[in-house]
Amino acid sequence: MAKFKTPFLDELEKGPWPSFVTDIKRQAKTKPELEDLLGQVELSYKDKETHWKHGGIVGVFGYGGGVIGRYSDMPKEFPGVAHFHTVRVNQTGGFYYSTEYLGKIMDMWERRGSGLTNMHGSTGDMVLLGTTTDQLEEIFWELTHDMQTDLGGSGGNLRTPSCCLGMSRCEYSCIDAQAICQEMTMHYQDELHRPAFPYKFKIKVSGCANDCVAAIARSDCAIIGTWKDNIRIDKSAVAAYVNGELKSNAGAHAGRDWGKFDIVKEVVNLCPTGCMSYDGKELTIDDKECTRCMHCINTMPRALRPGVDKGATLLCGAKAPILEGQRLATVIVPFVKTEGTFEEIKEVINKLLDWWMEHGKNRERIGELIGRMGMREMLKATGLPPVPQMVKEPRSNPYIFWEESEVPGGWTRDLAAFRKKHPL
Amino acid sequence: MAYDPKNPMKDRITDIGPRHYKEFMPPVIKKNFGKWLYHEILEPGVLMHKAESGDEVYTVRIGASRLMSVELIRDAMKIADKHCGGYIRWTTRNNMELMVDDKSKLQPLIDDIKKNPMFPIGGTGAGVTSIIHTQGWVHCHTPAIDASGIVKSVMDELFEYFQSMKLPAQVRVAMACCLNMCGAVHCSDIAILGFHRKPPFVQHEVISKICELPLAIAACPTGAIKPATVDGHKSVSVNGERCMFCGNCYTMCPAMPLMDAEGDCVVIMMGGKISNRISAPKFSKVVIPALPSNPPRWPEVVAAVKNILEVYAKNANKYERIGEWAERIGWERVFEKCNIPFNVKTIDDYTLAYNTLRTTTQFKFT
């Protein structure tokens, strides 16, 4: 027998999409605090307002992040969720799990938490929703000792780096996105667990320009795989696409009759640089002019593959609109090889962090700092060479902040001599 | 050995980071790591990846509400144990994926998945996949709207597009329950956003005790918050005319809540994308500044999303994302075709506004 009547939420048990209400109701049979959660959410549906209080600082000793305090504003009515803190557990690269490992986390979370999760949070962590303050150290102990894993980031720190599934199961991936993500996560453990930044800093790694982890939209430092040499062409497979033996775009459009595959219309003419041609027999690519958008490769994956001189483009400064407006990440290093322990990438990140920690205001993301102080200052501080790949177009105003050292004779001048020549 | 509250630092382990991903890859994935040749979508929700070695891995993608119970995850784990050697993964868009290394194992896997109505198969190719979303009323203190309930309502309505591949291109729907946009709706084909429309309260009698007033003042991007003494209390005043309802003050100061059942509403955005395919990544654009927030099923929001999706599906070219279609036909035509009234509130007047104004005599009459 349910503790609360939930007529609003019951409506969400209808329909074909998996119902979180049905799911929570079932879990509530063994986790009675979820009855209170259902009660409180039902009240929110009635009130059209949330019933969670603002924050509250809780955590585990020695860490400044990874746990987010959460309290009900109606603890008497819903005592089971009076304290309902979130624990962020660092996900594995590419979100792969064995059931043995995942099962241990689930068992722990059933014992020490509400039994409710997010798989996964927006940044990438496995999010465990709802526990009490007295459980936090116990949870941390079990995570580190019994599951050999760790908490993720929150607050003004490095947020848990995240990646696509990379080379593990994707033929497009130009870089080992998981290896880069893992190395950055391990290298910056201190920055991840102990907030010392003006605000959050996110690192995301995508294997190719399709960018399945949304690095270019969501990360302060985006690492996106690319290549420098020529797209590899399998001529017989091109012919097979043209003849209709192979399905375009790996069959992604199979649900509708779009007519016969037309390589000129669907590939050549959609190339953003116009660097492809097809003479009725052979597909040719002027690779020097290619900007590696991935369209032709996505459309004919069995005929075309990325080149072999692979590496990453680094971009910086993406964020959602809050606060100074939305930003996509912008190119700061057009190409870097991704080898060994990725020292070249770390060097760039270290310089970005140093500059941002020195100049960033409270709650100012690095993209906003670049907006406020200009690319000029960022490039000066990081020593990155200015290259045309960084801009869509050069500036259209001449208001250049020349430095004294750059101007012949410097800025110290003799006013008397000036006025002798040009009387007032 | 267990945690000893009297001696919390004893045998403490810190900074070990996550487990290594290679521990958790199915053998066929590990063996062919970096050696994949191509993939095919065999049917909606079912992928086959072919490796240079000749190995094949068959993946079944399962839509999920990202809010999942331990019980439900165990249900998925049972299938993984029975069919997939005890491995499971999630995608960047909250889907689950179960993999087998031989075609003969595929149908039995699909059959078992289909026995559970909580595990719909789909979300591949030119369709709609799971909605990236936020916490909403289930777990957040700043939302203007719920998240999971709206996602459920919208996905129920778009379900046929989750289980088919008949759109011109993939359509990525995202939702965020307030302007903090944990759901990163700012680059999605269709975005649903919760929005407050009343300036914050100021709880003058407590604000100086629970907030750093300079931080609250500095938090305001429009300078609407000023120091003030009210009834003898050190406090702040808010100029409502300058408030853009971003909620940044509330993030800094619990004594300045914004939420209000009457004022809070839903914004619909469209035309964003992340992929660099054909055209550069794009921001989502506001097309409907406010729809009512009507739980439990948000009919106005569901109808608006479905309308945009279906007008696009009918009109766009193959491969064209919503934003690319909008740019080809012109946004003036988009408003006309989608039958959305243009509104002064859809003209930008924030920091990057000028970039969005028309600086040419080229436009279409509608």
Side-chain angles (χ1 to χ4, degrees):
Chain A
M1 184 65 193
K3 185 171 171 186
F4 298 99
K5 282 210 165 69
T6 54
F8 277 117
L9 292 179
D10 295 348
E11 285 297 311
L12 291 167
E13 293 200 84
K14 299 168 185 167
W17 190 248
S19 168
F20 68 100
V21 176
T22 305
D23 185 19
I24 297 174
K25 280 186 178 177
R26 180 173 69 145
Q27 185 72 62
K29 287 175 189 157
T30 52
K31 300 299 294 177
E33 61 262 52
L34 292 180
E35 295 280 1
D36 284 350
L37 181 72
L38 288 165
Q40 179 171 316
V41 175
E42 176 73 14
L43 183 62
S44 280
Y45 270 63
K46 185 164 160 272
D47 290 349
K48 299 211 262 184
E49 290 172 357
T50 189
H51 281 286
W52 297 105
K53 276 193 198 182
H54 192 293
I57 295 175
V58 290
V60 299
F61 286 118
Y63 281 11
V67 182
I68 293 95
R70 186 62 70 226
Y71 301 89
S72 170
D73 68 11
M74 306 194 74
K76 284 203 186 98
E77 292 81 352
F78 309 109
V81 294
H83 296 211
F84 210 63
H85 310 319
T86 305
V87 179
R88 292 182 183 170
V89 180
N90 201 137
Q91 81 285 4
T92 54
F95 307 108
Y96 285 91
Y97 297 101
S98 69
T99 51
E100 189 232 337
Y101 169 71
L102 191 58
K104 275 190 193 172
I105 296 185
M106 293 304 116
D107 292 349
M108 179 279 286
W109 191 238
E110 195 176 42
R111 265 186 292 113
R112 301 205 175 275
S114 72
L116 206 55
T117 78
N118 285 154
M119 299 295 285
H120 292 77
S122 293
T123 299
D125 298 287
M126 179 195 293
V127 175
L128 306 179
L129 290 179
T131 191
T132 51
T133 308
D134 58 323
Q135 290 293 335
L136 295 173
E137 287 294 343
E138 307 271 4
I139 289 167
F140 182 65
W141 177 276
E142 290 193 27
L143 286 173
T144 51
H145 287 76
D146 302 341
M147 289 150 234
Q148 292 84 46
T149 191
D150 209 335
L151 298 181
S154 63
N157 66 9
L158 180 73
R159 297 298 180 88
T160 314
S162 183
C163 62
C164 68
L165 86 174
M167 296 168 90
S168 69
R169 203 203 59 201
C170 183
E171 68 272 26
Y172 300 148
S173 192
C174 297
I175 53 175
D176 189 345
Q178 292 160 289
I180 297 171
C181 183
Q182 183 82 8
E183 177 61 25
M184 296 304 150
T185 306
M186 299 311 292
H187 183 76
Y188 293 108
Q189 279 290 295
D190 190 33
E191 287 81 356
L192 203 160
H193 295 305
R194 295 169 194 89
F197 292 162
Y199 198 16
K200 63 181 89 164
F201 191 92
K202 298 186 179 181
I203 298 174
K204 290 190 190 291
V205 194
S206 270
C208 79
N210 286 331
D211 197 0
C212 288
V213 78
I216 205 165
R218 308 192 54 182
S219 59
D220 299 272
C221 178
I223 302 166
I224 300 178
T226 192
W227 68 93
K228 277 186 109 167
D229 54 344
N230 297 345
I231 292 175
R232 288 174 283 170
I233 306 180
D234 177 340
K235 286 182 189 172
S236 60
V238 172
Y241 279 108
V242 173
N243 298 336
E245 289 159 35
L246 295 175
K247 282 187 278 183
S248 69
N249 215 119
H253 296 266
R256 178 153 147 192
D257 182 9
W258 291 94
K260 190 171 178 290
F261 178 68
D262 181 339
I263 191 170
V264 173
K265 189 175 150 203
E266 299 185 36
V267 179
V268 174
N269 291 351
L270 289 179
C271 170
T273 64
C275 74
M276 307 184 89
S277 57
Y278 183 73
D279 63 2
K281 280 186 195 150
E282 198 173 342
L283 180 72
T284 46
I285 304 174
D286 182 359
D287 283 278
K288 237 176 47 269
E289 299 307 312
C290 169
T291 51
R292 306 168 310 287
C293 82
M294 297 288 299
H295 174 63
C296 60
I297 295 174
N298 285 323
T299 306
M300 303 194 295
R302 289 179 71 166
L304 304 177
R305 302 173 73 190
V308 293
D309 184 10
K310 293 167 176 173
T313 299
L314 307 186
L315 305 95
C316 175
K319 57 182 284 297
I322 201 122
L323 200 60
E324 294 294 328
Q326 69 283 5
R327 296 179 75 100
L328 286 156
T330 68
V331 172
I332 57 168
V333 179
F335 189 80
V336 59
K337 291 299 268 186
T338 52
E339 289 158 350
T341 51
F342 319 109
E343 294 307 312
E344 273 183 84
I345 297 175
K346 286 181 204 159
E347 200 179 313
V348 172
I349 292 174
N350 289 343
K351 286 175 178 170
L352 289 171
L353 291 176
D354 283 350
W355 178 63
W356 178 52
M357 286 175 76
E358 188 173 337
H359 297 283
K361 294 193 281 195
N362 186 35
R363 283 172 65 76
E364 185 175 47
R365 296 281 286 269
I366 193 165
E368 289 165 324
L369 179 62
I370 292 172
R372 178 161 65 84
M373 295 183 69
M375 279 288 278
R376 179 182 87 249
E377 290 297 326
M378 189 276 279
L379 295 177
K380 198 159 91 178
T382 56
L384 292 171
V387 290
Q389 286 79 7
M390 289 175 174
V391 297
K392 278 185 229 164
E393 57 185 30
R395 67 193 302 153
S396 41
N397 65 70
Y399 301 145
I400 298 164
F401 289 89
W402 290 101
E403 290 181 25
E404 184 173 11
S405 61
E406 294 172 316
V407 184
W411 291 347
T412 311
R413 286 182 285 164
D414 183 345
L415 179 61
F418 179 84
R419 281 294 168 225
K420 202 169 164 193
K421 217 160 80 184
H422 307 285
L424 189 61
Chain B
M1 194 167 67
Y3 175 70
D4 175 7
K6 287 185 199 125
N7 199 354
M9 302 317 281
K10 184 167 178 281
D11 297 326
R12 196 172 185 80
I13 297 174
T14 69
D15 300 280
I16 56 170
R19 289 278 283 274
H20 199 279
Y21 51 92
K22 285 212 169 158
E23 292 179 63
F24 302 129
M25 286 176 177
V28 64
I29 294 292
K30 212 168 162 180
K31 179 186 163 197
N32 296 289
F33 191 94
K35 307 272 184 207
W36 296 100
L37 273 181
Y38 63 85
H39 75 281
E40 278 174 24
I41 306 171
L42 304 179
E43 57 184 271
V46 182
L47 302 138
M48 187 276 290
H49 286 78
K50 183 101 176 173
E52 288 171 9
S53 66
D55 287 352
E56 292 173 347
V57 62
Y58 293 82
T59 303
V60 183
R61 186 171 292 170
I62 303 166
S65 148
R66 78 160 190 169
L67 184 63
M68 299 182 85
S69 74
V70 163
E71 287 286 321
L72 187 61
I73 293 167
R74 284 182 184 145
D75 287 344
M77 282 163 46
K78 275 180 209 149
I79 301 176
D81 282 336
K82 183 171 167 194
H83 296 274
C84 313
Y87 296 97
I88 185 170
R89 75 172 291 269
W90 270 260
T91 71
T92 53
R93 297 192 74 88
N94 308 331
N95 299 297
M96 289 180 282
E97 286 187 342
L98 292 170
M99 286 171 264
V100 289
D101 58 10
D102 192 275
K103 195 164 190 183
S104 65
K105 300 175 183 171
L106 180 60
Q107 198 55 47
L109 170 65
I110 291 174
D111 292 343
D112 264 1
I113 294 169
K114 282 188 173 167
K115 283 181 195 155
N116 190 334
M118 295 292 275
F119 293 155
I121 297 172
T124 51
V128 172
T129 189
S130 296
I131 295 179
I132 289 288
H133 66 97
T134 52
Q135 301 287 19
W137 294 333
V138 166
H139 210 249
C140 185
H141 64 294
T142 66
I145 54 178
D146 188 34
S148 298
I150 296 182
V151 165
K152 162 77 176 145
S153 303
V154 170
M155 283 309 288
D156 277 343
E157 195 66 23
L158 302 188
F159 193 65
E160 63 166 303
Y161 298 101
F162 176 79
Q163 294 205 308
S164 64
M165 302 188 290
K166 55 185 180 182
L167 296 173
Q170 68 266 48
V171 172
R172 299 291 183 243
V173 185
M175 91 138 290
C177 42
C178 82
L179 257 195
N180 283 324
M181 289 195 191
C182 301
V185 300
H186 63 300
C187 295
S188 301
D189 293 282
I190 300 177
I192 303 159
L193 173 68
F195 197 78
H196 303 293
R197 286 188 300 176
K198 297 190 183 181
F201 287 104
V202 181
Q203 258 179 296
H204 298 295
E205 70 284 6
V206 297
I207 187 167
S208 68
K209 295 182 190 80
I210 60 174
C211 308
E212 296 283 348
L213 296 187
L215 287 182
I217 293 161
C220 181
T222 64
I225 305 176
K226 295 240 158 22
T229 303
V230 182
D231 300 331
H233 300 290
K234 272 175 86 177
S235 183
V236 298
S237 66
V238 177
N239 178 352
E241 284 174 20
R242 296 183 72 165
C243 180
M244 61 176 197
F245 317 102
C246 69
N248 204 43
C249 53
Y250 181 58
T251 297
M252 301 308 291
C253 174
M256 301 182 73
L258 286 88
M259 66 174 167
D260 184 276
E262 278 182 333
D264 294 349
C265 68
V266 185
V267 181
I268 303 294
M269 304 171 82
M270 65 185 271
K273 75 195 258 288
I274 285 155
S275 163
N276 288 269
R277 183 177 187 173
I278 303 178
S279 66
K282 303 175 198 304
F283 293 122
S284 327
K285 281 91 181 164
V286 173
V287 286
I288 305 177
L291 288 174
S293 171
N294 273 331
R297 298 220 53 126
W298 289 271
E300 298 87 350
V301 174
V302 171
V305 170
K306 193 168 190 199
N307 172 48
I308 291 168
L309 182 79
E310 295 195 332
V311 173
Y312 153 77
K314 204 171 136 205
N315 288 278
N317 295 336
K318 191 178 177 187
Y319 304 111
E320 222 167 29
R321 297 286 290 266
I322 287 184
E324 291 168 332
W325 166 65
E327 287 178 12
R328 177 170 60 80
I329 67 169
W331 281 95
E332 65 273 42
R333 188 69 81 218
V334 171
F335 279 91
E336 181 188 63
K337 279 199 179 292
C338 295
N339 199 20
I340 297 171
F342 191 76
N343 188 307
V344 68
K345 294 184 169 57
T346 51
I347 301 177
D348 194 355
D349 47 19
Y350 196 49
T351 50
L352 308 167
Y354 177 76
N355 298 343
T356 66
L357 303 180
R358 195 180 299 270
T359 55
T360 169
T361 56
Q362 295 186 29
F363 57 82
K364 294 177 180 175
F365 290 106
T366 52

